[in-house]
């Protein structure tokens, strides 16, 4: 994209979201619901995947379009470096119930990204899991 933009004389800003969840998501959210929504759930221990709420990604796009200083920059648009189990705990708390049996399984996946540039240049901040889940429910009606 950078090479093509340079060849065509286009201004380019790159946003790199990580795993996103939100209303009408057909990728991550349904998979999480299937994997962890039953009466028995295998809960990944040690897995850090910086999930980001889709509405926050949209806010980053709007901010980038409104901010000329972002041209020529690349931004990580990801959630905080929290364990995936924190998202699941928030989801269970939001729903008011969780699995009857939660079995932790070691899954040493770590994806860490630095969001400071997006926070500084875009004024962007990822919302908490509970806020994202609440907005996701409101979005879905």
């Amino acid at each position: 994209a950078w090479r093509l933009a340079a060849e065509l004389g286009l201004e380019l800003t790159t946003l790199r979201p990580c795993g996103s969840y939100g209303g009408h998501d057909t990728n991550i959210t349904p998979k999480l619901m299937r994997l962890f929504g039953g009466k028995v759930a295998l809960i990944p221990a040690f897995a850090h995947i910086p999930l980001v709420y889709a509405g926050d990604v949209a806010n980053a796009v709007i901010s980038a379009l409104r901010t000329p200083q972002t041209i020529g920059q690349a931004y990580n648009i990801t959630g905080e470096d929290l364990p995936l189990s924190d998202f699941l705990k928030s989801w269970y708390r939001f729903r008011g119930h969780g699995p009857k049996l939660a079995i932790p399984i070691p899954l040493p996946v770590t994806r860490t990204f630095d969001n400071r540039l997006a926070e500084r240049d875009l004024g962007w901040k990822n919302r908490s899991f509970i806020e994202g889940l609440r907005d996701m429910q409101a979005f879905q009606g």
Side-chain angles (χ1 to χ4, degrees):
W2 287 105
R3 200 170 342 160
L4 184 59
E7 288 172 15
L8 298 174
L10 299 174
E11 297 176 332
L12 178 65
T13 300
T14 302
L15 302 178
R16 299 181 293 231
C18 193
S20 61
Y21 67 97
H24 301 290
D25 170 30
T26 59
N27 187 22
I28 290 179
T29 305
K31 289 175 185 168
L32 290 174
M33 304 294 177
R34 276 193 306 276
L35 283 172
F36 307 116
K39 293 180 181 183
V40 175
L42 301 175
I43 306 297
F46 315 115
H48 286 241
I49 301 171
L51 298 173
V52 60
Y53 178 64
D56 291 337
V57 176
N59 289 338
V61 170
I62 291 166
S63 293
L65 290 170
R66 291 181 174 166
T67 311
Q69 74 187 42
T70 66
I71 296 168
Q73 299 295 318
Y75 298 94
N76 294 325
I77 307 298
T78 66
E80 294 180 54
D81 183 24
L82 298 171
L84 182 56
S85 60
D86 282 11
F87 175 80
L88 296 173
K89 289 174 191 172
S90 296
W91 181 43
Y92 297 144
R93 189 172 57 230
F94 180 75
R95 292 175 58 203
H97 61 85
K100 298 225 182 271
L101 177 62
I103 303 168
I105 58 166
L107 186 63
V109 176
T110 302
R111 303 276 317 262
T112 305
F113 298 92
D114 186 350
N115 286 337
R116 288 179 292 188
L117 193 60
E119 290 175 0
R120 185 192 75 203
D121 291 357
L122 302 173
W124 179 83
K125 187 72 175 146
N126 186 50
R127 68 191 78 196
S128 73
F129 291 142
I130 289 291
E131 291 171 318
L133 291 166
R134 194 172 294 130
D135 289 352
M136 183 175 84
Q137 183 184 38
F139 185 78
Q140 291 175 329

